[in-house]
Amino acid sequence: MVFSNFLLTLFFSCSVISLIDASSNGITVDLLHRDSPLSPFYNPDNTLFDRLKSAFHRSYSRKASFNPTSISTKTIEAPIQLNSGEYLMKISLGTPSFETLAIADTGSDLLWTQCAPCTDCYKQIPPLFDPKNSTSYRDVSCQSQLCAAVGSSSCDSQNVCQYSVSYGDSSYSNGDLAADTLSLQSSTGKSVSFPKTVFGCGHENGGTFKEPGSGIVGLGGGALSIVNQLKNSIGGKFSYCLTQIDEPNVPSKISFGSDALVSGPNVVSTPLIKKSSDTFYYLNLEGVSVGTTKFFYKPLKNFDSISVDASSDDQGNIIIDSGTTLTFLPQQIYEQLEAALVKAIKGKRVTNPQGLLNLCYHVTGEKFDPPTIVAHFTGADVELPPTSTFLEVGEGMVCLTLVPSEDLTIYGNLSQMNYLVGYDLVNNKVSFKPTDCSKAT
């Protein structure tokens, strides 16, 4: 991370002039769930149950692709299943600005989009970004420190840095590393521009990408993430507020800079734990509670061998991720959690036909009232939203959206809904504030 900060300091001190000071710079834009009627990915023929089933499958695929035994985070930019991107955001590139829609992902770093001429690209419905039409477009040279920060790069005959990123589902993007103006526009019409933002101009892209979108907005913790690239302007801060699954017509929100401050009563904060892979956001989960009973997490002796990041200690044992729907808990914690829930809930247990969820109940007309579940992070007790902790996944069937994991653990987006979740990469913390996200502005 020290090396990453050095790269960013060098780059910004030499070439980037922020349009406005970080103290006054803030913007909030819509964040669209891929299955929302507001999204171009929306399929009206699918029921809510169909969409949930697909989201659960994507969670398992994403978790598998994060697994360090099958990938190397040193050579792979972001091990995600690309068609599993859960949230989308609009961005604009170039001068004049060119709007496109991309996957917003806290599990990857590089911002990239498909570019003309596309020598070997997946089919895209919206027009391609053409660098020749932008007066502010500049290639990044092979000698640039940021070229080295890509992870996998080469040099063409014109001394232009060539990036190459691949993903856990065998998708990929190859092209020119470039710099251009990035613009974000809020739903109220406010616009903020950031000159000389480095991104990937992809000329060869393929895999599981979908036609309505074009590329990825990397929100991870690495050097090329827009959160770190724009650190001088946004103060290293961003936040999001995810609406409940039963509010599909209300967009979620993502904020940057001064708009991303999480303050006031009922705010709790927990440290961001640094690991060798600086892309992912690690928190320290100390335990969970069911009602008044708390179960402490005791790391296994072979924790290092099954962690997403082999570390010398047991700190940073869970990744917080907006792109994973389910929450994956350590096996030992989950077993105690399930036993306590079974004891507390009076109802008929049933089996989830897809086999994706472990604890399910049959419900009829009566109200299903499970006990309160709290996740205990270091310094922060976060009550899980009851409306998304148990979801109706089939007619008359509700299931727990927390599942066991013998290796990688992830705090998924269902557990974050109706919270304002703020990331502060300067003070290295994540904050949570209970919020009605459907009313967030």
Side-chain angles (χ1 to χ4, degrees), residues 82-316:
L82 271 299
N83 64 9
S84 71
E86 297 302 308
Y87 290 94
L88 310 167
M89 65 181 290
K90 291 180 180 179
I91 62 169
S92 293
L93 291 169
T95 307
S97 61
F98 179 90
E99 187 178 84
T100 189
L101 186 70
I103 295 170
D105 186 53
T106 53
S108 62
D109 292 329
L110 182 65
L111 161 66
W112 67 266
T113 189
Q114 292 206 120
C115 286
C118 247
T119 56
D120 183 15
C121 292
Y122 66 90
K123 184 179 179 181
Q124 177 181 313
I125 295 174
L128 295 172
F129 174 73
D130 191 339
K132 292 181 179 178
N133 295 333
S134 173
T135 59
S136 50
Y137 179 92
R138 299 290 185 273
D139 291 317
V140 171
S141 74
C142 294
Q143 285 70 42
S144 166
Q145 297 283 3
L146 290 176
C147 182
V150 174
S152 179
S153 61
S154 59
C155 191
D156 71 2
S157 60
Q158 304 299 315
N159 198 38
V160 175
C161 180
Q162 304 290 293
Y163 77 90
S164 178
V165 295
S166 56
Y167 301 87
D169 66 346
S170 299
S171 296
Y172 60 90
S173 176
N174 304 316
D176 301 326
L177 196 65
D180 209 334
T181 298
L182 169 67
S183 300
L184 302 176
Q185 185 171 23
S186 72
S187 55
T188 61
K190 177 183 177 181
S191 181
V192 178
S193 296
F194 305 96
K196 299 181 181 178
T197 301
V198 173
F199 74 106
C201 197
H203 299 292
E204 297 180 359
N205 319 288
T208 59
F209 301 103
K210 298 298 184 180
E211 296 178 3
S214 182
I216 290 177
V217 180
L219 299 169
L224 287 176
S225 164
I226 64 169
V227 183
N228 268 322
Q229 282 200 63
L230 308 181
K231 184 176 287 188
N232 286 7
S233 296
I234 65 174
K237 297 179 178 65
F238 77 99
S239 67
Y240 50 74
C241 205
L242 307 180
T243 57
Q244 291 289 152
I245 202 76
D246 60 354
E247 297 174 318
N249 293 308
V250 181
S252 299
K253 302 290 182 181
I254 185 168
S255 303
F256 300 91
S258 59
D259 278 17
L261 297 178
V262 181
S263 59
N266 302 319
V267 174
V268 293
S269 300
T270 187
L272 273 173
I273 309 299
K274 300 293 183 67
K275 296 278 192 173
S276 60
S277 173
D278 56 10
T279 296
F280 306 114
Y281 295 113
Y282 299 90
L283 307 182
N284 196 55
L285 179 67
E286 296 180 345
V288 297
S289 291
V290 175
T292 59
T293 305
K294 181 176 180 179
F295 307 106
F296 291 94
Y297 172 57
K298 297 178 181 180
L300 302 175
K301 291 183 179 180
N302 65 336
F303 175 82
D304 291 345
S305 65
I306 62 174
S307 169
V308 71
D309 175 64
S311 177
S312 59
D313 56 51
D314 58 9
Q315 298 297 298

